[in-house]
Amino acid sequence: MANGRVAAVSLPADRPVAHGFLSRALLWARANLFSSWLNSVLTLVLAYFLAKGLISFVSWAFIDAIWSLPTQDTRPCRDARAESACWALIGERNRFILFGTYPFEEQWRAALAVGVFLALYGLSTVRAFWNFRLVVIWTVGLAAIGVLMWGGVFGLAYVEQEKWGGLPLTLILATFGIAFAFPLSILVALGRRSAMPAVRMICVTYVELIRGVPLISVLFMASVMFPLFLPEGITIDKLLRAQVAIILFAAAYLAEVVRGGLQAIPKGQYEAADALGLGYWRKTGLIILPQALRICIPPLVNTFIGLFKDTSLVTIIGLYDLLGAAKASIVEPRWVGFGVEAYMFISLIYFIFCFAMSKYSQGLEVEFSRHTKR
Amino acid sequence: MPASLAPAHNTGNPIAVEMRGLNKWYGEFHVLRDINLTVRKGERLVICGPSGSGKSTMIRCINRLEEHQTGTLMVDGIELTNDVRNIDAIRREVGMVFQQFNLFPHLTVLENLTLAPIWVRKVPKKEAEEAAMYYLERVKIPEQAAKYPGQLSGGQQQRVAIARSLCMKPKIMLFDEPTSALDPEMIKEVLDVMVELAREGMTMLCVTHEMGFAREVADAIIFMDRGEIVESAPPSTFFANPRTDRLKLFLSQILRGH
């Protein structure tokens, strides 16, 4: 109760009690924004620039924006280039940005595949499904996505992988990337702490080798060099090669994050598990990893978000993911020069996914830390 | 002193732990020197000595949290070697209580208790939970079953830790300074549980400086210093007639104020 007393004493008795939102806001502003004349000047100057920037952005993006064009002619947009956003581009080209070169008539399938992905993400956040059911859900979901994207069965026309693009491609690369890189990274992190020198050395070499090179060069190797080493007649398609490159790259980074979490677990936890006769895998799976992974949720999600956006690098090897499709959508002479609108559109999509991941991870952290504070 | 707790010199009982010429080094540091020790089933042994004397290391060798380098160590008739199967077999039969409790903070009290029985002993979940509740009642905190370790006091956590070990139905219990990390007012509740356990005939090896506990339950007290067993005697002679100067000095330090 000593705390309560101290807190009570430290409250100034003569402090005016603010009622109502406005008076509280005024008190806050006086304390934080206008506490001295220098602060007041800084506040006013910054407020001026903020307001100016915001006003010009709002008028460019919304008030003066051109939402549609009466004809195929893009000249009205070009004439008002400086003061108006040309959302007519998105209106016309959104299907291409979202689905790339996927056949126009079949794009409902790609849209449905995105829908299945979103449903899978949503269901994965329900804790009641955190058991074998999630495995079943994902198996069925991914199979459905495969059927939708490839087709060739149930009367769906076959669509070859070279034509896939846009958001479904980004989600495929990111989802499979995380789904495979994460477990792999756990094994590598455990391997780095293994008592067996050979295992340790392999894992260290892998992590250091991959971390030492940029993702672009790994992608290039996967797309250009790797096929040279394959025996003649055998081809592995480009998407799969890029996917494997992303998995291997992300796993190296994730492994270090997981290792950080492992190192935070006190020795006593290992000893207690040993003393109870739990073997290595049970000790690791039931005692060590659940605690270690909780500790490293923030850096894990950090890396997941990074990986989600890094998938856009596949445009460099000629895959039309969301960014690649956006780029390609403004290649047409009519639309050359309207990159800002296209990039803002896909930025919004990237932001929604990354922000959702971030928010979800914050929720997880709160939930996990509720009871387990030491 | 309860008369029921007759000092059982269980000379006829089978051997639970036997150390012959045990040696261990940490690098250059000779932490265990030629340890010879026999503990029979049902015997209660208290091990004391100054810090760094090797007493914790010695009992941690029994379930292979520490590895000895020379000598032989038999536990429940099984020799401890590098054979993982033997180590696992011994760990199933030997319970251990740590100074820092080492409960699993991400699991509830009940889950802490049922984890090993379910995964190691393959006990059905329901049965394991019933057993867990039985032992929680024995340590007098059944009402805490659904809480997480972080929500309990130190004394409660240590009692949960004892119950967790008991759930594996061990033949031997090791206590590594079980009350050293506790606030003074919580020591008694843990010692009470240990005394009761001793009364029921559990084979116990306790590293502790609780001399009242030693007097009450120990069949023998062992004094260690600099990696050696210096003296071993039943409580009556241990306190009344220490033979060596080292033990006299230690007792004068530890009993001061008692």
Side-chain angles (χ1 to χ4, degrees), chain A residues 269 271 282 286 371-372, chain B residues 60 91 103 105-106 122 148:
Chain A
Q269 293 290 308
E271 289 178 350
R282 284 188 192 126
L286 297 168
H371 302 298
T372 51
Chain B
R60 285 159 60 91
R91 283 175 174 169
L103 294 176
H106 62 301
K122 312 288 180 204
Y148 285 85

Side-chain angles (χ1 to χ4, degrees), chain A residues 256-315:
Chain A
E256 288 298 280
V257 171
V258 173
R259 192 166 68 96
L262 289 173
Q263 274 171 346
I265 304 303
K267 199 163 143 255
Q269 293 290 308
Y270 290 88
E271 289 178 350
D274 283 340
L276 287 170
L278 297 164
Y280 175 80
W281 289 109
R282 284 188 192 126
K283 172 174 68 175
T284 306
L286 297 168
I287 308 299
I288 306 304
L289 278 180
Q291 296 183 62
L293 295 182
R294 276 167 211 208
I295 293 170
C296 56
I297 286 175
L300 273 178
V301 174
N302 203 20
T303 315
F304 288 162
I305 288 176
L307 175 127
F308 186 86
K309 293 180 297 183
D310 279 352
T311 57
S312 60
L313 285 171
V314 297
T315 79

